[in-house]
Amino acid sequence: MTERIVLAYSGGLDTSVAIGWIGEATGAEVIAVAVDVGQGGESLETIRQRALGCGAVEAYVADASDEFANEYCMPTLKANALYQGHYPLVSAISRPVIVKHLVKAAREFGATTVAHGCTGKGNDQVRFEVGIQTLGPDLKCIAPVRDLALTRDKAIAFAEEKGLPIETTKKNPYSIDQNVWGRAVETGYLEDIWNAPTKDIYDYTAAPEFPPAPDEVTISFEAGVPVAIDGVKVTPLQAIKELNRRAGAQGVGRIDVVEDRLVGIKSREIYEAPGAMALITAHKHLEDITIEREQARFKATVGQRWSELVYDGQWFSPLKRSLDAFIEDTQRYVSGDIRMTLHGGQAIVNGRRSETSLYDFDLATYDTGDTFDQSMARGFIELWGMSAKVASGRDIRVAGK
Ligand code: ARG
């Protein structure tokens, strides 16, 4: 029987050429797998037809946008995950859901190998292949760009020579990856890290310099998940989309960073994640009133480690799963409303309320009638400083010798 390979297919030039390229290099039949993670653009049907037109024997297309929002974006939100303090893991969280569908398709169509269009320099090859190794340990991986010398020039020549139903003239100088959680743009002019991004780079956000009137929004959460916007019930996917639209119109969520790739390269990336950044900001502020201090401090460390694991392609790892259990436990009381103003590139919280709040007005107030006994503070401070005081006594003693 002819060997079969499932290919992660985007519908773009490189993966369209990869179908025939892999076929010629390996003699295998190629099955194209296209997954909708809310990236917008062409319909799955258009992509399916193109895959078949480019020589795929079958096309597997899946609308995974709700699955992606529920099972990938929501855990990222609960973790307040920002890799290196900036990046809400847009591409990093979409790879594992694509991997799930690749493995499913491989089983359905009896494939032995999984192919993807990544280069050998980025994180995404790692995320795909580590994911495949974990969910389908018997499956092999191949990357035509990296392993079968499929360069951009050769791709264009191949597409023209074979008359593939794909545009080869439209030259986009950037490498772009996008889904409902955000958008990532790199390469070209941006590789000079002193160059400011030009206007044409952005798509999810309007220029924050010229904002429309301020937009006040109330986001309601239940156990860490957004459930309503301005009182209207929403699914996680709807919440992200609605905030992409409203925060995007105000230029919220533009990020320009040089980040540390897993492969050891520092790289410049422009992100736009209006919905994700508005949601993370709101969620963090709700945690500030509903999570106990020590749990909150520890959770920040856990969230950082979680972000690194996910960035590094360890979505399906045991440690990531254990951290998920911790994070999930912290979300029990993260319910309530956050009111925020979206304006001029900023999402600023200005009101919060929760039935499960730990904010105690009577303890906090400086007005008369507070219930906090200030006389307790003296003894507490004495003991709290004791250890450092004893050590400093030792320092003085030793220095005096
Ligand atoms: N640097 C980001 C990451 O590794 C985004 C990579 C996405 N690819 C792109 N073509 N911009 O998660």
Side-chain angles (χ1 to χ4, degrees), residues 167-190:
E167 183 130 31
T168 54
T169 47
K170 216 170 61 206
K171 204 172 159 323
N172 192 326
Y174 304 112
S175 165
I176 300 169
D177 183 49
Q178 66 188 51
N179 59 57
V180 75
W181 198 239
R183 189 164 171 271
V185 186
E186 63 179 334
T187 73
Y189 167 83
L190 296 168

Side-chain angles (χ1 to χ4, degrees), residues 87-277:
Y87 166 44
L89 298 172
V90 173
S91 303
I93 60 172
S94 76
R95 303 313 174 212
V97 68
I98 297 170
V99 162
K100 269 203 176 167
H101 285 274
L102 285 167
V103 172
K104 195 163 161 246
R107 300 300 179 225
E108 238 173 83
F109 294 103
T112 55
T113 302
V114 175
H116 60 76
C118 305
T119 71
K121 290 178 79 169
N123 298 312
D124 287 327
Q125 54 172 344
V126 181
R127 296 168 184 150
F128 275 123
E129 295 183 31
V130 170
I132 299 290
Q133 279 172 24
T134 320
L135 299 189
D138 54 304
L139 297 169
K140 293 179 295 237
C141 291
I142 186 168
V145 176
R146 182 191 66 192
D147 307 330
L148 303 174
L150 176 56
T151 60
R152 191 86 190 171
D153 295 344
K154 287 191 203 160
I156 293 171
F158 187 94
E160 281 168 358
E161 181 197 321
K162 308 273 170 183
L164 297 183
I166 174 103
E167 183 130 31
T168 54
T169 47
K170 216 170 61 206
K171 204 172 159 323
N172 192 326
Y174 304 112
S175 165
I176 300 169
D177 183 49
Q178 66 188 51
N179 59 57
V180 75
W181 198 239
R183 189 164 171 271
V185 186
E186 63 179 334
T187 73
Y189 167 83
L190 296 168
E191 285 171 357
D192 180 337
I193 61 177
W194 186 247
N195 281 345
T198 47
K199 286 201 236 31
D200 60 308
I201 282 177
Y202 297 105
D203 183 38
Y204 284 16
T205 54
E209 295 85 0
F210 310 103
D215 184 6
E216 194 175 82
V217 61
T218 300
I219 308 172
S220 308
F221 290 86
E222 258 170 44
V225 172
V227 292
I229 292 182
D230 292 330
V232 179
K233 272 184 72 170
V234 286
T235 63
L237 179 65
Q238 289 166 337
I240 303 166
K241 281 186 169 170
E242 168 83 352
L243 288 163
N244 272 341
R245 190 177 64 73
R246 288 171 66 175
Q250 295 284 347
V252 170
R254 289 189 172 186
I255 302 156
D256 178 341
V257 282
V258 174
E259 72 190 27
D260 282 303
R261 282 193 197 155
L262 177 59
V263 296
I265 300 171
K266 284 191 188 290
S267 77
R268 201 308 177 65
E269 195 94 44
I270 306 295
Y271 299 107
E272 313 177 80
M277 294 309 285

Side-chain angles (χ1 to χ4, degrees), residues 6 8 84 179 187 287 375 401:
V6 290
Q84 292 187 316
N179 59 57
T187 73
E287 286 193 340
S375 70
K401 269 193 188 154

